[in-house]
Amino acid sequence: MRRPSIRLRLLAGTGVFVTLVLLLANAAIYRSIERTLRKEVRLQLLQSAWLLAKSAELEATGISYEWHVALASSHTQGISGLFEFTDLNTGRKMGSPDLKGEHLPLFYGNLDERVFRNITLADGKKAQAIGLYHHPFLDDEGREEMERAGKILNPEDFPQVVVVARETESLDRRLAEMRGHLAKGAFATLIATWAVIIWVASWSLRPIQELTSRLLKRSTEEESPVPDIPASLPVELNGLAQAFNTALSRAEASRSREREFARHAAHELRTPVAGIQSTLEQAIHRPRSSEDLSERIAAALVLTQGMRNTLNSLMRLARLRGGLEQVSAVSFDPAAILRDQLIANEAKAAQRDLVIDNQVPVSLPALSSDAGLFSVLVINLIENAVRYAPPGTTVQVGAQDTPTSFSFWTRNERGELRAEDRERLFEPFQRGTVAADSEGGHAGLGLSLSREISNLLKGRLEMKFEDERTVTFAVTLPR
Amino acid sequence: MRCLIVEDYAPLRGNIEECLREEGFAVDASATGDEGLWYARNHPYDVILLDIMLPNVDGLTILKKLREIQDKTPVMILSARDTVEHRVEGLNAGADDYLVKPFALSELVARVRALLRRSYSHESAVLRIGDMTIDCASKTVSRSGENIPLTRREYSLLEYLAYRAGQAVSRTDIWEHVYEDHSGGSSNAVDVYIGYLRKKLNAGGRADLIHTRRGYGYTLAVEGS
């Protein structure tokens, strides 16, 4: 699967964005300049048309085109371009000398209405033109002259059109050049932006590469500490790096627990096998009496039974952890199960000079849960208490019922148990400071099993150090 | 030869103990790390068999502590941990051998004997002093090809002297390495067994190979060598 690239995304994203911005900005600039220049041309055409219209004077003898006078003063008055007068009554045309006998297209609108058109000049060049329909100019002096000549003429009877044109190809060329400059500028800006982005991306991503190489190196040294986050790592990636380190630490803690489990499992399984093998080897090593042989075979059987117990516990733990253990809900008397186990442990308690203080109420309301799993919980905790309590001390076993929960506990002197061992003791194969025995029922799986069972029954198993001397294991199950 | 077993699993500990005794070793056994360390520090052993996962103090810690005080007693680790890393860890900690559980007792004994040979700089399981041959594997003794039957204690005493052939070995040393208890022993008991040995070894007018070194103890050697 192709992975997204930050660098490519930055390049593509900024490329599109910068290109768009540059295109729009350049287009806006170009349009603004083009409008201004074309407006300027129009203004000049309009100005020229007005001045030329004024130069068509009505006299007693008719229309007099004094454009040359106007032209002579055009440096100050702004007549530019080609122009041509047309007398609409006679059709007579009077063009500027630059027309060289050619004519401009005749077009116009209403009186004094300016009409612009793009035209093609006789030499084929593109041009813009204005057509202005007007009446000849008549001032007081002309009117007096007409009166003196006894011939009064009305300007409205002499409709005139002046068409002024200005070639625009040079303007178009300048605009085309400007478009080229703007495009080149935009392209250069885009390239420069991309170069900066590539550099910034590389600069910003370099700490990631550094972190990656640290992590790769770290992956070959499993026991070493999780690598520090490089100081140069961008702050935006700190959270990711922290989360990665946390995940790595958790994974390694889990792996470490797995290794510890495998290490202990190997010990707890291989050692009894070694015991069985050595017992049988010793049995056949030399001729022995049948009684001696029977004793040795019986000892090997005890070891085999112990291994079976350990394997059963391991299998149950595996089923519990794998979610394969089925929980049934039946109604049973929890007090009876607790009492039975206290009786079952009386002999062992007596052997260790322990006093069992039974604080379990004589009767308790029935509990609806898995009676089998509940029994395993009770057996594990009471046997643990009787096994680990220092000799000559008291083991308290109690139970309490509330409308919402049922709980039972064992409390005894903690001996060498330390608060810092709290979590470790719930790991499989933790036996504290007690040596392995041949029965295999105490391979150090009891607390792990009990915790898994408590969780499965939606309850909890807690280990409490309520004072300086005692340790309490309490199971609370929901009602 | 005196051997210390530090193993918390009672059935295995008991079987090894019994097997080694039958092989003529004097054996001490301990179920916990702290007790094992105390034994190792306070008594001279020819070999120590050490489990790793022990209550109170683990085997590797015991081994490191012994090596820190320059105790060069050969140590064989007996462990269920079977990976190369674990073996390397054990050997690097100062172990001389590493045996993975489960193992055959015959292999254990053979390895213990190999450690002893190395420890006393002998290349073969057959020791020769003059015309006397001691086969440590079959625990038989002969002189000039003639088999000499010995009791277990006599054999152990002769084997210990043979491993240290040519050296003066004190009665205390003999007591500590051949006898089961640590009471300090009785020089008389050692002398009595030396007397038994001499009687059997020198039968038929053979040359005495056990020489008394006044003020030192005994030396097993060919006279004049």
Side-chain angles (χ1 to χ4, degrees):
Chain A
M1 189 179 70
R2 190 166 181 176
R3 298 277 171 197
S5 154
I6 292 176
R7 189 180 280 124
L8 284 178
R9 282 184 173 183
L10 275 172
L11 286 176
T14 52
V16 170
F17 179 73
V18 169
T19 306
L20 209 61
V21 168
L22 283 173
L23 275 176
L24 290 173
N26 284 350
I29 291 167
Y30 173 78
R31 292 299 298 169
S32 170
I33 292 171
E34 186 192 24
R35 256 199 311 273
T36 305
L37 291 175
R38 293 200 186 282
K39 192 175 173 185
E40 183 66 25
V41 169
R42 288 184 178 200
L43 278 173
Q44 285 177 1
L45 286 173
L46 183 61
Q47 191 177 11
S48 298
W50 278 120
L51 286 171
L52 287 166
K54 291 283 184 190
S55 71
E57 287 186 19
L58 184 61
E59 296 176 354
T61 54
I63 302 295
S64 168
Y65 298 103
E66 297 179 353
W67 52 269
H68 52 283
V69 179
L71 205 57
S73 61
S74 65
H75 295 300
T76 53
Q77 297 188 14
I79 294 175
S80 63
L82 306 168
F83 57 86
E84 189 175 49
F85 292 96
T86 303
D87 186 333
L88 292 179
N89 287 340
T90 62
R92 189 165 67 97
K93 291 181 181 289
M94 175 69 69
S96 62
D98 290 340
L99 279 174
K100 294 174 183 167
E102 298 293 339
H103 296 289
L104 294 174
L106 177 65
F107 61 93
Y108 53 92
N110 296 323
L111 182 65
D112 292 336
E113 181 192 1
R114 62 200 77 169
V115 177
F116 290 96
R117 267 191 197 172
N118 292 322
I119 62 168
T120 303
L121 297 175
D123 57 6
K125 287 183 178 172
K126 303 284 181 194
Q128 183 150 51
I130 183 172
L132 184 65
Y133 171 42
H134 64 97
H135 291 146
F137 178 71
L138 177 61
D139 58 6
D140 291 341
E141 191 183 342
R143 199 167 280 114
E144 285 170 8
E145 197 180 325
M146 280 186 195
E147 284 171 0
R148 278 199 299 274
K151 191 174 182 183
I152 302 299
L153 297 176
N154 185 1
E156 293 175 6
D157 296 333
F158 298 91
Q160 299 292 313
V161 171
V162 62
V163 175
V164 185
R166 184 169 171 182
E167 169 271 317
T168 55
E169 278 197 357
S170 58
L171 175 64
D172 289 339
R173 268 198 307 278
R174 277 168 55 205
L175 287 172
E177 278 173 18
M178 186 182 291
R179 282 198 301 273
H181 290 320
L182 286 172
K184 283 176 192 167
F187 184 68
T189 307
L190 190 62
I191 295 296
T193 307
W194 269 351
V196 169
I197 287 166
I198 290 170
W199 180 74
V200 169
S202 299
W203 181 54
S204 302
L205 295 175
R206 202 173 303 137
I208 297 178
Q209 288 160 359
E210 190 190 334
L211 182 64
T212 306
S213 61
R214 278 194 201 183
L215 289 170
L216 279 174
K217 185 165 177 280
R218 169 65 181 73
S219 67
T220 59
E221 309 160 347
E222 210 167 306
E223 298 295 328
S224 62
V226 172
D228 291 333
I229 296 170
S232 53
L233 192 73
V235 67
E236 293 83 355
L237 294 175
N238 257 7
L240 177 67
Q242 291 279 16
F244 185 84
N245 270 0
T246 305
L248 184 64
S249 298
R250 282 187 185 157
E252 288 195 343
S254 171
R255 171 128 174 75
S256 170
R257 277 199 299 276
E258 261 180 39
R259 269 203 303 268
E260 193 73 0
F261 178 85
R263 190 163 69 89
H264 282 104
H267 183 262
E268 295 300 333
L269 296 175
R270 283 173 177 273
T271 301
V273 171
I276 294 166
Q277 184 174 345
S278 61
T279 302
L280 296 175
E281 262 189 276
Q282 278 297 94
I284 61 169
H285 182 59
R286 61 181 67 245
R288 299 186 189 277
S289 68
S290 60
E291 278 181 5
D292 189 5
L293 277 176
S294 295
E295 277 177 21
R296 287 173 191 271
I297 292 168
L301 276 175
V302 169
L303 300 184
T304 312
Q305 176 66 33
M307 270 199 77
R308 203 180 74 180
N309 290 344
T310 303
L311 284 172
N312 284 343
S313 296
L314 266 178
M315 292 302 291
R316 177 153 236 170
L317 188 63
R319 283 201 305 273
L320 285 164
R321 288 187 165 178
L324 301 173
E325 191 81 22
Q326 297 293 318
V327 180
S328 61
V330 292
S331 190
F332 61 89
D333 177 9
I337 292 175
L338 283 161
R339 269 196 307 273
D340 288 349
Q341 273 313 304
L342 288 173
I343 292 166
N345 278 276
E346 273 175 358
K348 197 167 279 179
Q351 275 176 16
R352 301 197 66 234
D353 195 21
L354 295 172
V355 174
I356 293 184
D357 179 7
N358 181 359
Q359 298 180 0
V360 180
V362 177
S363 78
L364 284 166
L367 184 63
S368 179
S369 186
D370 189 303
L373 292 175
F374 179 81
S375 296
V376 176
L377 270 179
V378 172
I379 291 167
N380 282 339
L381 294 191
I382 293 180
E383 281 191 355
N384 265 0
V386 171
R387 173 169 290 269
Y388 291 107
T393 59
T394 299
V395 172
Q396 293 175 13
V397 180
Q400 189 180 24
D401 190 66
T402 71
T404 56
S405 67
F406 168 82
S407 59
F408 74 91
W409 65 87
T410 64
R411 184 178 296 126
N412 54 273
E413 290 201 11
R414 67 172 74 159
E416 293 175 16
L417 210 57
R418 293 165 301 179
E420 54 265 36
D421 294 330
R422 196 187 305 243
E423 278 312 305
R424 184 181 64 80
L425 286 173
F426 285 96
E427 294 295 330
F429 301 115
Q430 299 296 327
R431 277 198 305 266
T433 57
V434 174
D437 67 12
S438 57
E439 295 164 18
H442 299 280
L445 292 167
L447 282 180
S448 319
L449 272 174
S450 300
R451 176 166 273 186
E452 296 290 342
I453 290 171
S454 303
N455 292 342
L456 194 63
L457 298 180
K458 302 193 184 332
R460 64 180 186 278
L461 166 60
E462 291 170 291
M463 180 184 185
K464 302 173 190 172
F465 292 100
E466 291 167 327
D467 55 43
E468 289 180 356
R469 289 187 309 108
T470 64
V471 58
T472 302
F473 288 93
V475 173
T476 305
L477 301 174
R479 272 247 167 242
Chain B
M1 296 291 171
R2 180 170 290 278
C3 177
L4 171 65
I5 305 164
V6 190
E7 163 64 58
D8 67 332
Y9 191 58
L12 182 60
R13 185 176 66 246
N15 287 326
I16 296 173
E17 199 176 339
E18 183 185 49
C19 172
L20 289 176
R21 283 215 171 92
E22 286 174 1
E23 291 293 323
F25 288 86
V27 184
D28 291 327
S30 171
T32 61
D34 47 358
E35 188 188 54
L37 182 60
W38 183 88
Y39 268 109
R41 277 177 166 168
N42 291 283
H43 299 292
Y45 290 100
D46 294 293
V47 66
I48 296 173
L49 306 181
L50 190 60
D51 186 15
I52 290 182
M53 296 177 73
L54 291 165
N56 303 330
V57 181
D58 70 86
L60 289 180
T61 305
I62 293 174
L63 184 52
K64 285 172 188 166
K65 285 182 187 248
L66 289 178
R67 295 309 185 225
E68 275 169 18
I69 57 168
Q70 307 301 315
D71 187 326
K72 293 177 181 168
T73 308
V75 171
M76 183 193 295
I77 287 178
L78 308 177
S79 175
R81 297 158 75 172
D82 63 338
T83 62
V84 172
E85 290 81 6
H86 288 137
R87 290 171 202 237
V88 169
E89 186 185 18
L91 294 171
N92 282 341
D96 299 273
D97 199 358
Y98 194 108
L99 192 55
V100 175
K101 297 174 187 173
F103 47 78
L105 287 175
S106 51
E107 184 184 354
L108 174 82
V109 172
R111 283 175 182 257
V112 166
R113 292 204 175 281
L115 280 182
L116 289 173
R117 283 201 301 277
R118 238 180 288 157
S119 171
Y120 288 105
S121 305
H122 288 280
E123 291 174 358
S124 165
V126 178
L127 308 175
R128 288 194 175 82
I129 298 103
D131 63 346
M132 181 169 67
T133 304
I134 303 169
D135 187 334
C136 298
S138 62
K139 296 187 286 298
T140 55
V141 179
S142 63
R143 285 198 78 173
S144 304
E146 188 182 333
N147 192 46
I148 301 169
L150 297 177
T151 64
R152 191 181 300 168
R153 178 63 50 81
E154 288 163 358
Y155 174 81
S156 299
L157 176 54
L158 180 62
E159 188 190 61
Y160 183 63
L161 289 173
Y163 270 118
R164 300 182 64 177
Q167 298 174 26
V169 185
S170 71
R171 289 177 177 81
T172 311
D173 262 359
I174 293 171
W175 183 267
E176 284 182 336
H177 286 267
V178 177
Y179 291 80
E180 286 283 347
D181 72 75
H182 297 286
S183 62
S186 145
S187 60
N188 189 42
V190 174
D191 292 342
V192 167
Y193 272 92
I194 290 286
Y196 292 159
L197 259 184
R198 273 181 170 146
K199 196 174 172 185
K200 289 187 178 178
L201 295 176
N202 302 344
R206 294 189 187 94
D208 191 3
L209 296 175
I210 302 174
H211 310 287
T212 307
R213 298 283 182 257
R214 195 168 296 279
Y216 290 101
Y218 298 97
T219 301
L220 181 67
V222 177
E223 188 65 55
S225 63

